[in-house]
């Protein structure tokens, strides 16, 4: 007797089921969209303790869901820069390449598929086979973790806030505020701001300020929030509109919640790079701080940024003496770094990149140390710089050893 022919509808059903099991990214992304909305709503709970509890609980459950995206199989990409060969595991390879290689020419091979539970073994093989570093972009609850002589993790995104001064009549004293004070001196009597809840102003902000500004600043790697999403923020708050010589030059989308003022997004008119260079985004921040002070706010939440200290947005926010804290804007992967026998040049590159590590809701600057242990002066200098960047301290990573210093 010949083989029994399985009807086409049944074959298609099992084929689609197999495809879904091996790659269900779209389904997982839809689920994570629900968590993003839940995080958005929790941000506006007025009781601070309850708000923190809800945000952490939602993030916890979302990170569990995130495990599904890389189970039972994920992809690994071989990336070769001018001096460094990296294997990146996960779906954020474009993001990693942009951030780590920073414009260098990178040779990328076709990805290979790896069963999730085989990642520890494969990582060991890659590191033994000439790869300088392996990075896993997976959920922080991903159960199959590798081991290596050097290892560290980062949440990939953090947020930064600063205490609003009691007196906001003029920009505070201090070397970091010198540029802001100069802007006000150069435009004495010409700079002002107003708070608006008019939809027509939001339309101008979104189409003529926010979209062109972020597109000009971030190029092809930009992510532009949809109109509908930022409109939800707008309905919770309003806009700080900055004018110079009676012309609208910059703006910030803000929300007040208790003693906090949140900055959702910023923009300059028509994305004009000259307005950015002239410092008007800083004027938007200071105007928002002045408005928040008048509303009884004590802290200014500046929003999220990548968890790398060399990142331009992160460095810009340290201008305001910010403190690093959790980011709850959306559910995202943790990046896990594994190195076995890295050369001094790679360790130096990683230290200059400035990985930020999260431990028990505190944030530390990762410092990789080679065979030669740094002296007390260098350790003290690294610790001081971390504190200046708003971190709790440093995480010293050496072969087989991790040490937190506050």
């Amino acid at each position: 007797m010949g083989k029994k022919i399985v009807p086409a509808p049944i074959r298609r059903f099992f084929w689609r089921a197999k495809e879904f099991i091996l790659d269900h990214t779209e389904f997982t992304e839809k689920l994570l969209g629900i968590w993003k909305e839940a995080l958005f709503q929790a941000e506006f709970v007025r009781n601070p303790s309850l708000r923190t509890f809800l945000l952490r609980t939602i993030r916890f459950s979302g990170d569990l869901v995130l495990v599904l995206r890389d189970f039972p199989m994920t992809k690994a990409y071989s990336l070769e820069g001018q001096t460094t060969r990296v294997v990146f595991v996960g779906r954020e390879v474009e993001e990693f390449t942009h951030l780590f290689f920073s414009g260098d020419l990178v040779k990328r091979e076709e990805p290979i598929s790896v069963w999730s539970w085989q990642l520890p073994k494969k990582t060991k093989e890659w590191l033994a086979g000439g790869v300088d570093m392996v990075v896993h972009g997976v959920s922080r609850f991903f159960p199959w973790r590798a081991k290596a002589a050097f290892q560290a993790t980062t949440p990939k995104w953090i947020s930064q806030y600063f205490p609003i001064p009691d007196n906001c009549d003029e920009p505070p004293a201090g070397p970091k505020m010198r540029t802001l004070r100069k802007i006000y001196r150069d435009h004495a009597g010409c700079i002002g701001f107003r708070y608006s809840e008019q939809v027509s102003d939001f339309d101008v902000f979104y189409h003529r300020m926010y979209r062109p500004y972020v597109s000009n600043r971030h190029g092809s790697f930009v992510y532009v929030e949809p109109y509908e999403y930022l409109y939800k923020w707008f309905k919770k708050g309003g806009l700080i509109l900055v004018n110079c010589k009676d012309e609208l030059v910059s703006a910030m989308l803000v929300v007040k919640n208790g003693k906090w003022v949140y900055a959702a997004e910023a923009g300059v008119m028509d994305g004009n790079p000259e307005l950015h260079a002239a410092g008007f985004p800083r004027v938007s921040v200071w105007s928002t701080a002045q408005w928040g002070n008048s509303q009884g706010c004590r802290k200014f939440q500046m929003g999220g940024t990548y968890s790398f200290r060399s990142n331009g947005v992160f460095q810009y926010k340290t201008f305001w003496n910010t403190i690093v804290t959790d980011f709850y804007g959306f559910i995202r992967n943790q990046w896990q770094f594994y190195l076995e026998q890295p050369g001094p040049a790679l360790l130096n590159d990683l230290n200059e990149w400035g990985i930020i590590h999260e431990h028990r809701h505190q944030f530390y600057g990762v410092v990789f140390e080679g065979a030669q242990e740094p002296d007390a002066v260098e350790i003290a200098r690294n610790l001081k710089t971390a504190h200046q960047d708003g971190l709790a301290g440093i995480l010293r990573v050496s072969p087989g050893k991790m040490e937190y210093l506050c």
Side-chain angles (χ1 to χ4, degrees), residues 143-161:
W144 297 284
R145 294 202 172 211
K147 292 183 179 180
F150 297 79
Q151 52 190 68
T153 64
T154 185
K156 200 180 73 167
W157 279 78
I158 50 86
S159 65
Q160 293 160 278
Y161 77 91

Side-chain angles (χ1 to χ4, degrees), residues 303-351:
T305 186
Y306 282 114
S307 54
F308 304 99
R309 294 162 69 186
S310 62
N311 178 266
V313 177
F314 178 87
Q315 281 299 313
Y316 166 74
K317 292 177 180 178
T318 62
F319 169 87
W320 300 94
N321 297 313
T322 47
I323 299 167
V324 176
T325 187
D326 292 298
F327 175 71
Y328 295 105
F330 53 86
I331 304 298
R332 75 281 183 191
N333 279 332
Q334 180 187 75
W335 284 359
Q336 304 165 1
F337 298 84
Y338 301 98
L339 306 92
E340 195 60 45
Q341 294 181 319
L346 177 55
L347 294 183
N348 183 66
D349 287 346
L350 289 170
N351 288 336

Side-chain angles (χ1 to χ4, degrees), residues 123-380:
T123 298
K124 185 176 180 180
E125 292 175 358
W126 288 324
L127 291 173
V131 171
D132 300 302
M133 178 170 70
V134 178
V135 183
H136 295 180
V138 294
S139 169
R140 61 184 172 133
F141 294 133
F142 194 74
W144 297 284
R145 294 202 172 211
K147 292 183 179 180
F150 297 79
Q151 52 190 68
T153 64
T154 185
K156 200 180 73 167
W157 279 78
I158 50 86
S159 65
Q160 293 160 278
Y161 77 91
F162 67 88
I164 297 175
D166 293 331
N167 184 351
C168 288
D169 292 339
E170 295 181 355
K176 287 190 175 183
M177 296 294 170
R178 188 179 297 122
T179 301
L180 184 64
R181 293 197 300 272
K182 184 178 185 303
I183 295 169
Y184 277 91
R185 283 198 308 271
D186 292 346
H187 301 277
C190 299
I191 295 176
F193 73 89
R194 64 183 177 91
Y195 175 77
S196 173
E197 296 180 3
Q198 296 294 317
V199 175
S200 58
D201 286 329
F202 176 76
D203 287 339
V204 171
F205 167 77
Y206 185 84
H207 295 292
R208 292 196 58 191
M209 305 179 83
Y210 163 69
R211 281 186 65 97
Y213 180 61
V214 298
S215 297
N216 289 349
R217 294 286 294 158
H218 302 291
S220 60
F221 199 69
V222 67
Y223 173 74
V224 179
E225 289 285 5
Y227 179 98
E228 294 75 16
Y229 178 73
L230 291 189
Y231 185 73
K232 289 195 298 183
W233 277 89
F234 174 71
K235 295 302 290 183
K236 296 281 188 179
L239 291 165
I240 300 296
L241 301 170
V242 176
N243 59 76
C244 182
K245 298 179 181 179
D246 297 324
E247 291 188 6
L248 181 60
V249 291
S250 63
M252 184 160 284
L253 177 59
V254 302
V255 176
K256 176 184 179 297
N257 186 17
K259 297 293 184 180
W260 289 77
V261 60
Y262 293 79
E265 292 291 351
V268 301
M269 183 55 74
D270 297 323
N272 190 336
E274 293 182 2
L275 292 175
H276 175 83
F280 282 102
R282 297 188 183 195
V283 176
S284 293
V285 174
W286 180 243
S287 299
T288 301
Q290 289 179 302
W291 176 81
N293 178 270
S294 71
Q295 302 297 307
C297 297
R298 307 310 310 146
K299 294 178 181 179
F300 188 138
Q301 172 55 263
M302 299 189 76
T305 186
Y306 282 114
S307 54
F308 304 99
R309 294 162 69 186
S310 62
N311 178 266
V313 177
F314 178 87
Q315 281 299 313
Y316 166 74
K317 292 177 180 178
T318 62
F319 169 87
W320 300 94
N321 297 313
T322 47
I323 299 167
V324 176
T325 187
D326 292 298
F327 175 71
Y328 295 105
F330 53 86
I331 304 298
R332 75 281 183 191
N333 279 332
Q334 180 187 75
W335 284 359
Q336 304 165 1
F337 298 84
Y338 301 98
L339 306 92
E340 195 60 45
Q341 294 181 319
L346 177 55
L347 294 183
N348 183 66
D349 287 346
L350 289 170
N351 288 336
E352 288 187 357
W353 196 28
I355 297 170
I356 296 174
H357 170 78
E358 179 183 4
H359 177 65
R360 297 179 180 176
H361 303 293
Q362 295 288 321
F363 295 84
Y364 300 82
V366 176
V367 179
F368 290 96
E369 300 172 356
Q372 185 174 354
E373 186 170 330
D375 58 29
V377 174
E378 185 176 351
I379 293 172

Side-chain angles (χ1 to χ4, degrees), residues 373-389:
E373 186 170 330
D375 58 29
V377 174
E378 185 176 351
I379 293 172
R381 182 170 60 249
N382 289 334
L383 191 58
K384 180 181 179 180
T385 305
H387 290 157
Q388 290 173 341
D389 283 347

Side-chain angles (χ1 to χ4, degrees), residues 45-102:
V45 173
R46 292 189 63 84
N47 183 287
S49 299
L50 178 59
R51 180 169 66 245
T52 299
F53 171 78
L54 288 173
L55 287 170
R56 289 179 178 176
T57 301
I58 295 167
R59 181 186 169 193
F60 180 93
S61 59
D63 287 343
L64 287 174
V65 171
L66 195 58
V67 174
L68 296 175
R69 191 164 65 178
D70 296 296
F71 177 83
M73 183 172 281
T74 188
K75 292 188 181 298
Y77 299 81
S78 176
L79 309 171
E80 189 168 350
Q82 295 180 358
T83 59
T84 307
R85 187 180 173 196
V86 179
V87 169
F88 185 87
V89 176
R91 304 177 188 276
E92 299 156 336
V93 62
E94 299 288 351
E95 201 171 4
F96 173 81
T97 303
H98 173 78
L99 292 170
F100 180 72
F101 289 101
S102 188

